[in-house]
């Protein structure tokens, strides 16, 4: 699995989250911030492939954030003439809320039923889908490796081919 990096917030575009695999582990790294602006470390979690039951992506729209964002954008535009700095801040907050209203989540469910939810910006929807596909491919590979019937059939076929070559 190739490492996948994604933006976690529009304001902190320079902070990137990361999903990567290390042998039989999937590692999730999400940066932590204070008030959504000041970087403060990162949260890292690792799961073994055998602990992951499924992955899914969930795309939805938060009407509350969308309406709040539109109101802040309008308020920011009207405030630009009176106080440029206050208007600009309101405008930026409004744009951030509008972008964050489109929610894309990667949901990783463990075999114990725990769910790890990773949020992506709308711009990184393709990366969320790519991560889900790659994790599902790793789960399928693990299931193939642990399927004793398939392994036995492979050994029998290999032995039959070896016997045919000897004869």
């Amino acid at each position: 699995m190739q490492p996948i990096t994604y933006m976690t917030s529009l304001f902190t575009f320079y902070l990137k989250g990361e999903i990567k695999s290390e042998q039989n582990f999937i590692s999730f790294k999400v940066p932590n911030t204070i008030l959504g602006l000041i970087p403060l470390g990162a949260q890292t979690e690792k799961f073994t492939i055998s602990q992951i039951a499924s992955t899914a992506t969930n795309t939805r729209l938060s009407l509350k954030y969308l309406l709040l964002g539109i109101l802040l954008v309008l308020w920011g535009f009207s405030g630009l003439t009176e106080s440029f700095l206050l208007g600009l801040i309101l405008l930026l907050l409004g744009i951030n809320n509008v972008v964050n209203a489109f929610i894309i989540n990667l949901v990783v469910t463990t075999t114990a039923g725990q769910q790890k939810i990773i949020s992506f910006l709308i711009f990184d929807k393709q990366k969320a889908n790519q991560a889900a596909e790659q994790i599902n491919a790793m789960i399928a590979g693990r299931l193939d490796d642990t399927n004793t019937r398939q392994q036995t059939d492979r050994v029998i076929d290999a032995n039959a081919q070896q016997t045919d070559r000897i004869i």
Side-chain angles (χ1 to χ4, degrees):
M1 174 178 180
Q2 296 177 347
I4 297 172
T5 57
Y6 59 93
M7 287 192 322
T8 57
S9 172
L10 195 57
F11 283 142
T12 56
F13 59 89
Y14 52 91
L15 294 176
K16 305 284 185 187
E18 184 178 43
I19 302 171
K20 64 181 178 179
S21 68
E22 300 166 355
Q23 293 180 351
N24 293 327
F25 290 91
I26 297 287
S27 174
F28 302 100
K29 179 182 172 188
V30 181
N32 292 328
T33 59
I34 298 174
L35 301 174
L37 295 173
I38 303 166
L40 183 68
Q43 175 187 5
T44 303
E45 289 187 78
K46 284 186 179 181
F47 294 99
T48 62
I49 295 296
S50 61
Q51 288 180 328
I52 298 175
S54 66
T55 61
T57 55
N58 182 12
T59 305
R60 60 190 171 95
L61 173 69
S62 174
L63 192 59
K64 178 176 71 173
Y65 281 121
L66 183 65
L67 292 176
L68 179 64
I70 291 171
L71 286 174
L72 285 172
V73 166
L74 294 175
W75 194 13
F77 272 130
S78 67
L80 282 174
T81 56
E82 297 171 15
S83 171
F84 181 76
L85 184 61
L86 179 64
L88 184 63
I89 290 171
L90 290 174
L91 187 64
L92 290 174
L93 286 173
I95 291 170
N96 187 48
N97 276 357
V98 169
V99 169
N100 287 335
F102 299 95
I103 301 167
I104 288 83
N105 289 330
L106 172 66
V107 181
V108 179
T109 306
T110 65
T111 54
Q114 178 188 12
Q115 289 187 334
K116 170 71 177 167
I117 299 173
I118 301 164
S119 297
F120 288 78
L121 290 179
I122 188 71
F123 311 120
D124 289 336
K125 181 179 180 182
Q126 183 60 34
K127 290 183 180 182
N129 291 331
Q130 178 186 1
E133 288 173 10
Q134 288 181 359
I135 293 171
N136 282 332
M138 292 178 75
I139 293 169
R142 177 190 54 88
L143 291 175
D144 285 345
D145 288 344
T146 58
N147 187 335
T148 55
R149 183 189 56 79
Q150 275 185 339
Q151 296 299 337
T152 304
D153 289 347
R154 287 181 192 154
V155 169
I156 290 170
D157 288 342
N159 287 341
Q161 290 176 359
Q162 184 71 15
T163 303
D164 289 343
R165 280 187 282 192
I166 291 173
I167 294 177

